[in-house]
Amino acid sequence: YDYALGGKDNFEVDRVAADALLDVVPGLRATARENRQFLQRAVRFAASQGVAQFIDIGSGLPTVQNTHEVAQGVNPDAKVAYIDYDEVVLAHARALLAENENVIAEAGDLRKPAQIVTRLSELGFIDFGKPVAVLLVAITHFLGEDCYDIVGQVKERLPSGSYLILSHATADNASPEEAGQIHATYRASTASATLRTHDEVTKFFDGLELVEPGVTGVGDWGDNVHDASSTLCYGGVGRKP
């Protein structure tokens, strides 16, 4: 992902896998940029609504315009917790964030949301009595058949006024060859991926109030204009009533 964005925090194995995908799915690089821009617009929106606490689960290696930079650009006192289960990610994040007292990087697994909430509560870093924005950006396609149950556990732990920011890979607009190459690449990696349809991605927001324009191609969400027919990723923001 970082390599596709033009970043420098990646490894040879990442570049080989990405190049194999880019040979067959040239739109992947544009989709990576659009997904990152979606994250930035969605975080900026949540912060503009008064949310001052953000939990970025499966954040990955720090790359271009991170969640805390965007949130704190709106509210300098905004708190951001980065959660990942990769020790390399955590080491990079902690080194980069050492001087920002309103940002932490903690070990955690999306498949165990209760443990994430418990850990952040124990640290006293996130107040779950106040609205929180949870980011599940380009991560839920790594979940299996229990994906809706897991995201449901996340949603039920959020107080009223909180937001879910989610993006998810899709093959709705991909050719059979592109979809096959994406599946093959991830099957050979440490985490297989499931490409879901628009209706399946929308289902993650059940019980929430979808923020306009709803679930769209990531390039179409917010104030950006993009040809949605080429999207390989859907994104949306939902508010808990």
Side-chain angles (χ1 to χ4, degrees):
Y1 184 46
D2 178 75
Y3 175 64
L5 286 170
K8 298 178 180 179
D9 287 309
N10 50 73
F11 302 96
E12 181 64 21
V13 66
D14 302 320
R15 295 187 284 273
V16 169
D19 284 337
L21 273 175
L22 287 165
D23 285 343
V24 180
V25 194
L28 183 67
R29 194 179 295 278
T31 297
R33 288 195 301 268
E34 290 162 3
N35 186 63
R36 197 66 185 175
Q37 291 163 2
F38 160 74
L39 178 154
Q40 294 160 7
R41 292 194 300 275
V43 167
R44 195 173 295 116
F45 167 80
S48 73
Q49 300 304 299
V51 176
Q53 304 181 109
F54 295 80
I55 305 174
D56 190 343
I57 302 177
S59 55
L61 287 166
T63 184
V64 183
Q65 271 288 288
N66 297 288
T67 300
H68 72 280
E69 295 170 308
V70 179
Q72 293 178 352
V74 177
N75 178 1
D77 295 323
K79 290 186 173 183
V80 177
Y82 290 108
I83 307 294
D84 208 290
Y85 64 27
D86 188 327
E87 288 300 325
V88 175
V89 166
L90 295 173
H92 275 255
R94 287 166 179 157
L96 288 171
L97 305 172
E99 296 181 1
N100 193 324
E101 63 180 13
N102 282 332
V103 185
I104 61 172
E106 287 291 318
D109 189 330
L110 171 58
R111 294 167 294 186
K112 301 174 182 177
Q115 293 184 9
I116 295 174
V117 171
T118 298
R119 177 58 177 162
L120 294 176
S121 296
E122 289 175 348
L123 291 172
F125 188 77
I126 297 292
D127 180 355
F128 285 93
K130 297 178 180 179
V132 181
V134 172
L135 283 73
L136 302 180
V137 174
I139 184 175
T140 45
H141 43 249
F142 295 121
L143 297 176
E145 294 180 357
D146 57 351
C147 59
Y148 298 113
D149 176 62
I150 291 171
V151 174
Q153 292 180 51
V154 173
K155 291 185 292 188
E156 74 180 36
R157 285 168 169 79
L158 298 178
S160 176
S162 294
Y163 288 88
L164 174 66
I165 298 170
L166 182 148
S167 68
H168 192 297
T170 183
D172 279 1
N173 300 293
S175 69
E177 183 184 18
E178 289 175 329
Q181 184 60 49
I182 293 170
H183 279 299
T185 298
Y186 280 109
R187 277 198 301 270
S189 75
T190 56
S192 60
T194 300
L195 307 182
R196 296 186 170 93
T197 66
H198 183 270
D199 286 347
E200 290 172 328
V201 176
T202 302
K203 188 176 177 180
F204 284 112
F205 295 95
D206 282 358
L208 304 180
E209 300 169 346
L210 272 171
V211 174
E212 291 294 335
V215 176
T216 69
V218 285
D220 285 323
W221 197 93
D223 56 5
N224 195 35
V225 177
H226 175 68
D227 178 10
S229 63
S230 66
T231 189
L232 295 170
C233 190
Y234 289 124
V237 177
R239 180 184 183 276
K240 186 169 182 178

